[in-house]
Amino acid sequence: MLEGLMMHYPLTMDRILEHGNRLYRHKRIKTLLPNGKMHEYTYGDLYRRVKRLCNVLEGLGLQMGDRVGTFAWNNYQHMELYFGAPLAGGVVHTLNIRLFPEQLAYIINHAEDRILFVDGTLLPLVEQVADRIPHVEHFVLFNVPPGREPRLPGQVHDYEALLADASEEYTWRVQDENQALGLCYTSGTTGNPKGALYSHRSMVLHTMGECQAMALGLTESDVVLPVVPQFHAMAWGLPYAATMVGATLVMPGPHLKPEALAQLIEAERVTVAAGVPTIWNGLYHELRTRPRDISSIRALVVGGSAMPRALIEAYERDLGVNVLHAWGMTELSPLGTVSKLLSHHQDLPAPQKWDVKARQGYPIFGVEMRIVDDAGHELPWDGTTMGELQVRGPWIIRDYFKLEGSSDAFTPDGWFRTGDVVTVHEDGFMTITDRTKDLVKSGGEWISSVELEGHLMAHPDVLEAAVIAMPDEKWQERPLAVVVLAPQAREQVQVEELNAFLEPRVARWWLPDAYAFVEEIPKTSVGKFDKKVLRERLAQGELRPIRAREATR
Ligand code: ADP
């Protein structure tokens, strides 16, 4: 073999921070503070404060590989921890602020966090678990409301006071590109949370992958608003990506209500905003009642669960906003596919373009995919054959943290089983039919809950719809649609009308057997429909389904 004569250049996160500081030190990072005021500083400030933070962490006794927990909204302090913890040789472990105390304690203990950084506005939640997390030696607080005394064991510090006393001289403690950088637990939509442990190399490659033009194509001229929390799959990598390209970053802090987001997008002229469908559904309804100018947006990035086609259409038709649908998983750092139109889509009429955009899209370079049947045989990319999606690539986990060798999520030939059932078109566009566990298995055949939900949410009086399986003597399972109606329609819309609306859109045997009308669909900690809770409510007789006449085949 003739070896190439190229430099050995480890892909470590300090390279991205150094690059951002060298080229874009004047560019801004803005945070909407809890009191509604805007905090602003530059990438140059970020750089200097990260150096101080690294000294602080070493001063607190951080050893190589130690996990540093963060319990915070999207803000500049959290951004500093994204760089500071891994560049001081530790691992940034983002904790989901919406978990129940038991789950939170479980995750902190599983990760063995030694230092916990806490947003003062979230103190009550941490205080609830404080006596159950023995590994935590230090609590470091920021944004503490005036006069609030923390009730925490161990050593409690003030973030700003520690930074003020620390030196700005620091040599990054990064020895190897394969060193761990970050730890993120799946939100546990299905089963117990499991940890994805990212490396410097995987996250640098993910950042480069995400910025490809055929992915998000971020550039210096973008103004990026991550609504997706920093604890949900690393805010989809946006803090790192924005630093690499010098994009202006706008952090919403705790202000996630539709009205606040609309105002922020308008005032900051945001070009790329990212969040789950629930967030954009809320924003759309807000903008219909109280219009604002959000025309600065070039890509409304949406992922985490399926974006209903009707909402993609509504954003484009009513607001002129381009939706960029993406699919990912915590285990994929998280970006896997994006649904950007290709050249052969350009001349399609608008409705067909929306059909394409409602798919989850093609894999970006760095993510390989295949679909397989139950026996593990590869299936064709023909747009109709359904199979389980498996992926591999440099930013996909090869095992779960502290569960090495025990998970069945990995195939013997080195692919990761996503648990998603999909079809893939010849041009590589993937469509999620369902999560394996959410499919409705009716008489041995599959009904896609995702597809039914998408159609139902296209009905003008339906605000939200989630479809779950209902036990059935004859067919084993039949679909039950749990629906939130718009307030003005609550007395009028009948089950028959909804099935009549669905009838031209799906096979007849897919029509829900029953509907349950509720005030709100329960959501998981990251804003997805919580079907686990719906199934429990159904089992406990709390849903009160209304049967549809002759719906079953
Ligand atoms: P959790 O597994 O805890 O829900 P993740 O955010 O990692 O947390 O979830 C990944 C899963 O979310 C995927 O396997 C897929 O089922 C679903 N998902 C993500 N993006 C999309 C999308 N655009 N459309 C449909 N489902 C999606």
Side-chain angles (χ1 to χ4, degrees):
M1 185 190 79
L2 180 63
E3 211 175 279
L5 288 172
M6 305 308 288
M7 286 186 186
H8 178 60
Y9 185 88
L11 300 175
T12 51
M13 198 42 84
D14 51 316
R15 298 299 95 207
I16 288 187
L17 185 63
E18 291 285 353
H19 181 79
N21 179 54
R22 171 61 56 95
L23 276 94
Y24 312 116
R25 70 173 73 114
H26 56 286
K27 292 293 302 281
R28 303 194 87 71
I29 299 171
K30 304 180 176 190
T31 299
L32 201 52
L33 297 172
N35 65 10
K37 294 213 175 89
M38 190 64 92
H39 172 277
E40 284 194 41
Y41 74 3
T42 63
Y43 281 98
D45 296 322
L46 169 75
Y47 180 82
R48 286 187 293 276
R49 283 170 57 94
V50 169
K51 290 222 151 182
R52 285 174 185 264
L53 175 55
C54 288
N55 280 315
V56 165
L57 287 166
E58 276 202 34
L60 294 177
L62 184 87
Q63 302 290 315
M64 294 295 283
D66 278 351
R67 271 75 69 197
V68 176
T70 65
F71 199 74
W73 301 103
N74 290 9
N75 52 35
Y76 66 98
Q77 297 99 330
H78 211 167
M79 178 87 179
E80 289 159 10
L81 286 156
Y82 262 43
F83 286 101
L87 297 187
V91 176
V92 58
H93 171 207
T94 53
L95 289 155
N96 185 329
I97 63 172
R98 301 217 174 83
L99 292 180
F100 292 113
E102 301 70 47
Q103 278 175 310
L104 185 60
Y106 167 84
I107 291 176
I108 294 174
N109 289 332
H110 189 267
E112 299 173 65
D113 294 330
R114 285 189 61 200
I115 307 173
L116 211 57
F117 286 77
V118 181
D119 203 310
T121 54
L122 301 166
L123 262 175
L125 295 164
V126 175
E127 285 167 343
Q128 276 185 54
V129 299
D131 57 354
R132 279 180 268 168
I133 45 174
H135 299 286
V136 178
E137 297 157 33
H138 300 276
F139 294 88
V140 185
L141 312 181
F142 44 81
N143 292 342
V144 180
R148 175 69 157 82
E149 282 300 321
R151 287 179 293 276
L152 295 166
Q155 298 192 49
V156 181
H157 313 267
D158 175 58
Y159 185 70
E160 286 306 325
L162 290 180
L163 284 192
D165 288 343
S167 159
E168 239 165 55
E169 298 297 317
Y170 188 78
T171 308
W172 310 123
R173 269 209 300 190
V174 192
Q175 293 164 350
D176 189 312
E177 64 176 10
N178 291 309
Q179 186 173 316
L181 162 140
L183 176 62
C184 190
Y185 283 72
T186 59
S187 58
T189 310
T190 54
N192 257 341
K194 297 188 281 293
L197 185 62
Y198 312 120
S199 66
H200 280 258
R201 175 187 155 83
S202 70
M203 199 48 85
V204 168
L205 287 171
H206 178 267
T207 309
M208 293 169 73
E210 178 163 81
C211 289
Q212 294 172 64
M214 285 188 73
L216 302 195
L218 291 187
T219 70
E220 186 270 345
S221 48
D222 277 314
V223 179
V224 178
L225 171 70
V227 182
V228 51
Q230 284 187 261
F231 59 75
H232 183 194
M234 306 302 282
W236 302 348
L238 292 169
Y240 294 133
T243 307
M244 189 178 84
V245 302
T248 302
L249 197 55
V250 180
M251 294 297 207
H255 306 281
L256 303 180
K257 295 248 160 58
E259 195 181 348
L261 293 177
Q263 199 179 343
L264 201 55
I265 293 171
E266 182 177 57
E268 300 300 328
R269 307 296 298 152
V270 169
T271 63
V272 175
V276 293
T278 322
I279 292 281
W280 300 140
N281 193 19
L283 181 71
Y284 176 78
H285 290 289
E286 163 71 23
L287 292 170
R288 295 292 283 172
T289 0
R290 279 179 289 269
R292 297 232 176 216
D293 177 12
I294 66 158
S295 59
S296 55
I297 291 195
R298 70 165 180 84
L300 193 74
V301 181
V302 59
S305 44
M307 178 73 160
R309 181 197 175 283
L311 201 51
I312 295 176
E313 174 180 343
Y315 262 105
E316 286 207 12
R317 196 194 49 218
D318 303 339
L319 304 169
V321 168
N322 168 46
V323 173
L324 180 56
H325 195 188
W327 166 85
M329 298 182 76
T330 302
E331 290 88 339
L332 273 77
S333 305
L335 191 58
T337 66
V338 298
S339 199
K340 262 189 184 174
L341 299 184
L342 299 176
S343 53
H344 67 270
H345 300 125
Q346 295 303 340
D347 296 330
L348 293 176
Q352 286 181 40
K353 285 187 177 163
W354 297 325
D355 289 344
V356 176
K357 288 182 165 195
R359 296 185 200 148
Q360 279 69 19
Y362 53 78
I364 61 174
F365 177 74
V367 176
E368 271 182 59
M369 32 181 230
R370 71 178 183 192
I371 48 174
V372 300
D373 63 15
D374 286 345
H377 298 127
E378 206 168 334
L379 296 168
W381 290 13
D382 58 11
T384 52
T385 309
M386 275 190 232
E388 190 198 26
L389 177 64
Q390 302 188 341
V391 289
R392 67 177 181 192
W395 58 77
I396 297 167
I397 62 162
R398 66 178 150 82
D399 218 325
Y400 288 103
F401 180 52
K402 295 205 322 200
L403 288 174
E404 284 91 327
S406 65
S407 167
D408 58 7
F410 307 92
T411 69
D413 61 342
W415 293 70
F416 171 65
R417 297 184 220 267
T418 64
D420 286 324
V421 176
V422 309
T423 59
V424 183
H425 285 250
E426 265 172 39
D427 60 5
F429 269 70
M430 181 268 284
T431 307
I432 297 218
T433 308
D434 233 325
R435 278 193 153 186
T436 321
K437 295 181 175 72
D438 292 338
L439 279 169
V440 182
K441 290 155 196 133
S442 170
E445 298 204 60
W446 291 348
I447 298 175
S448 160
S449 66
V450 173
E451 196 177 330
L452 282 174
E453 289 158 8
H455 290 307
L456 280 168
M457 285 190 272
H459 189 288
D461 293 324
V462 173
L463 292 183
E464 291 178 337
V467 172
I468 56 168
M470 197 170 59
D472 185 274
E473 269 186 22
K474 187 165 172 200
W475 303 108
Q476 277 170 296
E477 290 181 358
R478 290 293 305 156
L480 162 71
V482 186
V483 170
V484 181
L485 291 173
Q488 71 279 8
R490 293 214 169 140
E491 299 305 313
Q492 293 141 32
V493 174
Q494 302 291 329
V495 165
E496 268 66 37
E497 179 186 333
L498 292 176
N499 265 359
F501 180 78
L502 285 178
E503 214 173 326
R505 293 169 169 83
V506 298
R508 205 177 143 64
W509 62 276
W510 278 37
L511 294 179
D513 276 30
Y515 285 80
F517 296 102
V518 295
E519 293 280 312
E520 197 189 343
I521 307 274
K523 312 275 184 336
T524 69
S525 58
V526 292
K528 307 184 189 195
F529 292 156
D530 198 336
K531 297 192 181 179
K532 211 155 59 174
V533 171
L534 284 179
R535 284 190 276 264
E536 279 161 18
R537 288 194 188 160
L538 177 69
Q540 283 159 13
E542 290 167 16
L543 277 184
R544 286 188 286 127
I546 305 169
R547 288 257 159 203
R549 255 182 296 124
E550 297 172 38
T552 321
R553 54 178 168 169

